[in-house]
């Protein structure tokens, strides 16, 4: 609906890739609906994935012994995080929906996107024990993981060699997003695009556009171990 804000966090090196096309389709389709769409193109931004003391501006809370979690938490409260983090946190803060678009690397996100999670979702901003899971600080937001795989759908079935694709989503959907209070929409998975015809890849883009048309009517998945493991 008009006025909704969407953040697309995108990790692919090549704009002509299927991931690049999926990102473009999302920008077009959501903009057409009147949403305002922001893209964090991590490779183009040369986003720093490493969590280091450079993320804290000014003096450390405890210069004797560096503890990244404590230091970023304290820096967040003081307004002393580095600019690139403040920028990303602003985008997250404003977003009603976050779409993560990436190719699956080794059963997970590419390092640059994992680094975005490591650095942006600071304690005090995204979670603050006991405010996590359903009471995480980013509640009232939605997230959707849209990704491509190398392996086929059969390989990622329950009885398949790679195991159910849902198992892989437990750490990223549950352990990161749900932990921060974000509600998660069903993932959008394009299986093995490199091994299918051009025609099939076009169908993948059409299916994504179709889903985006009705996205705001979708119910989030049931945020419990059952969804992943039963």
């Amino acid at each position: 609906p008009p006025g909704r804000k969407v953040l697309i966090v995108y990790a692919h090196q090549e704009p002509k890739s299927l991931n690049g096309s999926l990102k473009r389709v999302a920008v077009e389709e959501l903009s057409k609906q009147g949403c305002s769409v922001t893209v964090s193109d991590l490779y183009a931004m040369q986003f720093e994935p490493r969590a280091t003391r450079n993320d804290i501006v000014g003096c450390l809370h405890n210069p004797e012994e560096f503890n990244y979690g404590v230091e970023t938490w304290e820096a967040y409260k003081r307004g002393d995080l580095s600019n690139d983090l403040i920028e990303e946190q602003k985008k997250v803060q404003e977003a009603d929906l976050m779409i993560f678009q990436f190719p699956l690397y080794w059963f997970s996100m590419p390092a640059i996107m994992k680094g975005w999670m490591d650095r942006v979702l600071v304690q005090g901003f995204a979670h603050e024990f006991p405010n996590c899971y359903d009471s995480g600080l980013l509640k009232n937001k939605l997230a959707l993981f849209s990704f491509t795989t190398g392996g086929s759908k059969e390989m990622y079935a329950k009885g398949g060699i790679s195991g159910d694709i849902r198992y892989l989503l437990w750490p990223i959907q549950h352990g990161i997003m749900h932990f921060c209070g974000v509600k998660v929409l069903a993932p959008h998975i394009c299986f093995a695009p490199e091994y299918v015809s051009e025609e099939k890849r076009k169908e993948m883009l059409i299916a994504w556009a179709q889903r985006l048309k009705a996205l705001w009517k979708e119910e989030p998945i049931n945020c419990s171990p059952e969804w992943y493991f039963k």
Side-chain angles (χ1 to χ4, degrees):
R4 296 273 174 102
K5 289 191 159 68
V6 182
L7 170 62
I8 301 176
V9 182
Y10 162 69
H12 200 287
Q13 311 86 338
E14 175 50 67
K16 295 196 200 86
S17 64
L18 184 69
N19 273 276
S21 300
L22 288 159
K23 183 259 298 173
R24 197 178 59 249
V25 164
V27 172
E28 285 166 10
E29 188 50 53
L30 293 163
S31 301
K32 223 184 281 171
Q33 296 175 19
C35 301
S36 78
V37 185
T38 304
V39 178
S40 285
D41 180 340
L42 300 181
Y43 286 104
M45 292 156 69
Q46 300 197 338
F47 186 80
E48 167 62 85
R50 294 170 299 185
T52 68
R53 61 178 65 208
N54 298 339
D55 294 350
I56 298 103
V57 177
C59 300
L60 292 180
H61 178 68
N62 175 7
E64 298 306 302
E65 192 177 329
F66 184 72
N67 177 321
Y68 185 81
V70 169
E71 292 295 345
T72 49
W73 183 25
E74 292 294 335
Y76 175 73
K77 291 188 286 197
R78 297 194 310 265
D80 278 350
L81 288 172
S82 61
N83 275 341
D84 59 340
L85 291 196
I86 290 170
E87 281 300 294
E88 295 308 298
Q89 288 177 347
K90 239 187 246 145
K91 296 175 195 175
V92 170
Q93 198 65 68
E94 289 177 359
D96 298 300
L97 165 68
M98 295 177 280
I99 296 176
F100 297 93
Q101 181 65 59
F102 59 98
L104 196 68
Y105 279 10
W106 296 118
F107 277 26
S108 188
M109 296 173 265
I112 200 165
M113 185 176 278
K114 176 58 163 55
W116 185 95
M117 305 280 179
D118 291 350
R119 295 179 63 229
V120 175
L121 302 174
V122 167
Q123 184 169 352
F125 169 69
H127 58 90
E128 185 141 28
F129 195 80
N131 295 321
C132 50
Y133 290 116
D134 290 339
S135 59
L137 302 181
L138 301 181
K139 54 181 182 291
N140 306 328
K141 296 187 187 299
L142 291 169
L144 193 170
F145 287 86
S146 169
F147 60 98
T148 58
T149 67
S152 65
K153 196 169 185 169
E154 293 68 44
M155 290 170 78
Y156 283 111
K158 234 194 184 75
I161 184 98
S162 300
D164 192 331
I165 193 82
R166 290 183 175 198
Y167 302 157
L168 315 190
L169 293 169
W170 172 253
I172 61 181
Q173 288 188 168
H174 187 78
I176 303 177
M177 284 298 124
H178 184 205
F179 185 82
C180 296
V182 179
K183 292 184 176 62
V184 180
L185 295 173
H188 197 85
I189 310 167
C190 293
F191 288 100
E194 291 182 54
Y195 302 103
V196 300
S197 65
E198 193 51 49
E199 202 44 54
K200 277 269 186 295
R201 280 198 291 275
K202 282 210 177 76
E203 283 168 24
M204 288 175 173
L205 295 176
I206 292 165
W208 178 223
Q210 281 307 110
R211 179 173 176 194
L212 289 163
K213 282 190 201 329
L215 196 67
W216 302 101
K217 296 193 182 77
E218 290 187 17
E219 285 299 313
I221 65 167
N222 153 24
C223 274
S224 70
E226 282 77 63
W227 188 89
Y228 298 89
F229 299 111
K230 76 165 180 232

